Amino acid sequence: MTANSTAPAPDPRPSGRRGGRPVPKGRVVDPAALDEIRALLGDAPRRRDLLIEHLHLIQDTYHQISAAHLAALADEMRLAFAEVFETATFYAHFDVVKEGDPAVPPLTIRVCDSLTCAMAGAEALLAALGERAGPEMRVVRAPCVGLCDAAPVAEVGHNFVRRATPENVMAAVAAGDTHAALPPYVDYDAYSAGGGYALLERLRAGELTSEAVLDALDGASLRGLGGAGFPTGRKWRSVRGEPGPRLMAVNGDEGEPGTFKDRFYLDTDPHRFLEGMLIGAHVVEATDVYIYIRDEYPASIEVLRREMAKLPPGGPVLHLRRGAGAYICGEESALIESIEGKRGLPRHKPPYPFQVGLFGRPTLINNVETLFWVRDILERGADWWAGHGRNGRTGLRSYSVSGRVRDPGVKLAPSGITVRELIEEYCGGMAEGHRLAAYLPGGASGGILPASMDDVPLDFGTLEKYGCFIGSAAVVVLSDRDDLKAAALNLMRFFEDESCGQCTPCRIGTRKARLLMERPVWDVGLLDELAQVMRDASICGLGQAASNPLTSLIRFFPDLFPTPAPMAAE
């Protein structure tokens, strides 16, 4: 080009291209932050479905996620900044620091304030720790962390302090004890020595057919133990009936307040779960299995990571994914969205996940405990499982029991047991000085029943007529010393905080219900009307069931809601 050329001068503005390829617009990427992100990710793939895993790497390394790191991550993954930002800010465990905001202190102490911990003094613990916190730490509230049998609970970094007091929490801080302690568990060698994986080998060798497996599950009437209770054999058959390739996802996002049975099994006998999972993957011919475990279970995640590495080659590709603090991801379609690296927003149905699930493929989704029992049912026979039960029910249930009992914990008991039998036979009775007043038969969303109904069988199909359900079998026991209206309000605050915000009936309904329940006198008529709207119009089970504790309290505890006296005539 000559000096006299009439060609236009170069435009000084960014062209939106670098090296001949399009780049995200709208933010200038800090070269130093980009170098840090590249070093952090190393050779890891930059696929969209790994976005949450990469966000965890940043959070774990820097104790926060800065705007500069978000922009650099978006650039490195070839994503729009808005996509990365909306995902990072959706999950409670990512501390996104916007430009100009102060940095997050290097140590975070989380205090569980869900129902059982609240009953055990979480509010006083929060206040005391807040007074003792130094400039290098912060104290925040947290929803249920799955240690309800050791309430109250505080998390120092990733170290969970059971039966927490200001003294033992601050002692952990002073000692720098911020990592999760691994529990004693049955490892691969011990499990294999006890006959583990022999069943899977028979299945893979053709000595045991997939049809025989399905027949055994049908004969045992094993149902999904995550809450929905769908027949397991039927679900597996439905996935097999869809054209391949097929996938499998494990729902280990056990976030229902009062529930901790999956953690118990993962922390004690992980290979029994893994073998059941691999059997399911074989039956539906899944090419890949995605195991999604809630971030509140760091010990379980580490146990699985270590033990999965010991599995012999062969079978599906296994992917261990870590949640990030979102109760809604326990809903199966929100779980799928999260595994794909997105916000955990429930999908509209149909199509159902067995038809169009992960990455658009037919997907088998089971929870941890359901898969845990597969080996026992196949080895001992369907009659063994069906031979358990009380009050006309069949099978076994793992009841997560917490609250005002002498011996809380996971109780393996017959399906259909009543809460009175459960407390007396498995929990050592009520705690000293406490008398049963009410109980939650199915966790936060399962409703509240009075002590006068302590003879109702705890199982699928027995509680619905009372406006309650068994769900994940999380039984929270309340006594005559507990404020039942305060308990219901605690649960509604949880649902308000955990609503994904996608649909108006849930997003606005939980907030409105909470505000009405904070009033000294409840407007029962308005609350009933609001609850009906939430049940009828919410997209997923969170909004549909959030009002169950509220409505059951109104129904079964009328003495708490006296009719206002008529106004005197002037």
Side-chain angles (χ1 to χ4, degrees), residues 119 402-408 423-424 427-436 477-482:
M119 293 162 58
S402 63
R404 308 301 189 183
V405 295
R406 291 180 184 272
D407 182 25
I423 292 171
E424 293 177 355
C427 302
M430 293 291 293
E432 184 69 29
H434 291 266
R435 178 172 54 84
L436 178 65
V477 178
L478 297 96
S479 80
D480 54 337
R481 296 188 183 183
D482 293 311

Side-chain angles (χ1 to χ4, degrees), residues 248-518:
M248 181 177 183
V250 175
N251 189 344
D253 195 64
E254 182 182 47
E256 181 83 1
T259 310
F260 46 92
K261 59 186 179 57
D262 287 355
R263 173 189 57 79
F264 173 80
Y265 289 123
L266 289 172
D267 288 356
T268 55
D269 199 358
H271 285 282
R272 193 169 298 269
F273 148 69
L274 287 171
E275 183 169 14
M277 176 192 76
L278 292 171
I279 289 171
H282 182 92
V283 169
V284 303
E285 299 174 359
T287 60
D288 294 74
V289 179
Y290 292 79
I291 309 168
Y292 189 97
I293 306 295
R294 66 187 308 221
D295 196 32
E296 291 85 348
Y297 290 175
S300 303
I301 293 171
E302 182 58 27
V303 166
L304 286 176
R305 183 177 288 115
R306 294 185 181 192
E307 296 305 310
M308 286 165 54
K310 300 175 184 178
L311 295 174
V317 179
L318 304 183
H319 309 264
L320 183 58
R321 294 296 175 85
R322 177 180 167 190
Y327 166 74
I328 190 63
C329 291
E331 196 276 336
E332 61 179 7
S333 64
L335 175 89
I336 289 172
E337 292 287 299
S338 189
I339 292 175
E340 292 181 356
K342 308 170 188 173
R343 294 175 295 167
L345 301 181
R347 296 177 178 179
H348 291 273
K349 303 173 186 177
Y352 296 94
F354 80 88
Q355 300 165 313
V356 181
L358 264 172
F359 311 114
R361 298 181 181 181
T363 304
L364 172 64
I365 304 178
N366 282 127
N367 94 303
V368 170
E369 192 200 354
T370 306
L371 299 169
F372 182 89
W373 292 113
V374 168
R375 175 190 168 187
D376 285 273
I377 289 173
L378 295 178
E379 288 185 342
R380 303 188 186 194
D383 291 342
W384 165 78
W385 180 265
H388 295 87
R390 290 189 188 179
N391 302 307
R393 317 304 295 180
T394 60
L396 291 167
R397 288 302 302 264
S398 302
Y399 297 93
S400 304
V401 185
S402 63
R404 308 301 189 183
V405 295
R406 291 180 184 272
D407 182 25
V410 175
K411 311 297 179 180
L412 183 61
S415 296
I417 196 171
T418 67
V419 75
R420 180 178 64 240
E421 295 168 334
L422 187 63
I423 292 171
E424 293 177 355
E425 298 176 30
Y426 291 84
C427 302
M430 293 291 293
E432 184 69 29
H434 291 266
R435 178 172 54 84
L436 178 65
Y439 64 100
L440 281 65
S445 56
I448 303 176
L449 292 175
S452 59
M453 297 176 65
D454 63 356
D455 57 350
V456 178
L458 299 176
D459 197 17
F460 296 115
T462 61
L463 298 160
E464 284 76 3
K465 62 183 177 181
Y466 306 114
C468 300
F469 54 78
I470 187 67
S472 58
V475 179
V476 182
V477 178
L478 297 96
S479 80
D480 54 337
R481 296 188 183 183
D482 293 311
D483 182 336
L484 301 186
K485 291 176 71 175
L489 177 58
N490 176 284
L491 300 173
M492 189 57 70
R493 285 174 175 156
F494 168 81
F495 290 122
E496 179 191 8
D497 187 60
E498 294 295 335
S499 173
C500 74
Q502 180 178 194
C503 69
T504 302
C506 178
R507 181 182 68 252
I508 302 300
T510 52
R511 179 178 182 274
K512 182 64 175 178
R514 187 261 301 169
L515 290 171
L516 290 170
M517 294 166 72
E518 286 177 342

Side-chain angles (χ1 to χ4, degrees), residues 40-201:
L40 200 58
L41 300 187
D43 296 330
R46 271 58 168 172
R47 299 194 316 267
R48 170 60 194 263
D49 63 288
L50 291 173
L51 174 58
I52 293 174
E53 293 297 305
H54 295 340
L55 289 169
H56 274 303
L57 280 175
I58 301 172
Q59 178 72 40
D60 291 345
T61 303
Y62 297 99
H63 309 292
Q64 63 180 30
I65 303 177
S66 68
H69 281 147
L70 277 182
L73 181 63
D75 184 82
E76 185 67 10
M77 296 187 70
R78 318 308 304 154
L79 296 172
F81 180 85
E83 293 179 271
V84 177
F85 181 81
E86 71 175 7
T87 300
T89 54
F90 180 85
Y91 295 93
H93 289 185
F94 294 142
D95 295 312
V96 178
V97 180
K98 301 175 184 177
E99 294 175 358
D101 287 351
V104 174
L107 178 62
T108 295
I109 300 174
R110 290 185 168 88
V111 177
C112 175
D113 68 350
S114 290
L115 181 56
T116 307
C117 283
M119 293 162 58
E123 288 298 324
L125 179 62
L126 268 163
L129 291 175
E131 293 175 356
R132 300 188 184 195
E136 297 298 306
M137 68 185 74
R138 61 172 181 161
V139 179
V140 299
R141 295 176 179 271
C144 185
V145 297
L147 289 166
C148 315
D149 52 337
V153 177
E155 183 184 7
V156 179
H158 288 299
N159 172 32
F160 290 89
V161 180
R162 293 162 167 82
R163 295 179 179 83
T165 64
E167 290 73 26
N168 61 18
V169 172
M170 296 310 294
V173 172
D177 192 1
T178 60
H179 298 286
L182 295 189
Y185 63 88
V186 180
D187 65 8
Y188 177 78
D189 291 337
Y191 183 76
S192 299
Y197 293 110
L199 193 66
L200 178 64
E201 292 174 4

